[in-house]
Amino acid sequence: MTVTVDCMGRIEVADHGSGVPRKDRENIFKRFWRGPGERNEGAGLGLAIVSETMRAHRGGVSVADNPGGGATFTLSFPSLPAGEAKMAGEGFDGGRI
């Protein structure tokens, strides 16, 4: 697995697994959805939780093919307004973290 963070507010997580078929890409973010013939344990909630968390932060999540095989998930966070940007990285008491 590879994780990449860029200055545009994106985090990419790529793996070299079996990937996500195009026909399933909309469904994988739905609660309790599991792929046909899926044998792994789990309730089918993980990616739904990721999607809802990103929506709560005014961002989004998407999936694409990983060029080396597998899938790449991209978390896209919105830019902070200018007044809030200087607060990023500050602790509750105004000090740096």
Side-chain angles (χ1 to χ4, degrees):
M1 177 171 29
T2 305
V3 177
T4 307
V5 179
D6 70 20
C7 63
M8 299 301 293
R10 288 187 303 253
I11 299 171
E12 289 187 349
V13 179
D15 67 28
H16 295 287
S18 58
V20 179
R22 288 190 187 277
K23 65 181 177 63
D24 293 336
R25 290 184 183 174
E26 244 181 76
N27 293 324
I28 64 171
F29 298 105
K30 294 178 182 175
R31 288 186 291 161
F32 306 113
W33 188 86
R34 295 173 53 94
E38 182 63 43
R39 293 192 177 125
N40 290 330
E41 291 184 27
L45 290 172
L47 290 173
I49 292 169
V50 169
S51 179
E52 289 299 317
T53 301
M54 291 306 298
R55 188 171 302 138
H57 288 282
R58 298 180 315 231
V61 60
S62 62
V63 62
D65 291 330
N66 185 11
T72 299
F73 288 85
T74 302
L75 306 173
S76 301
F77 292 88
S79 298
L80 289 173
E84 292 181 34
K86 67 181 179 182
M87 292 181 62
E90 292 183 2
F92 291 111
D93 64 356
R96 300 296 292 170
I97 293 177

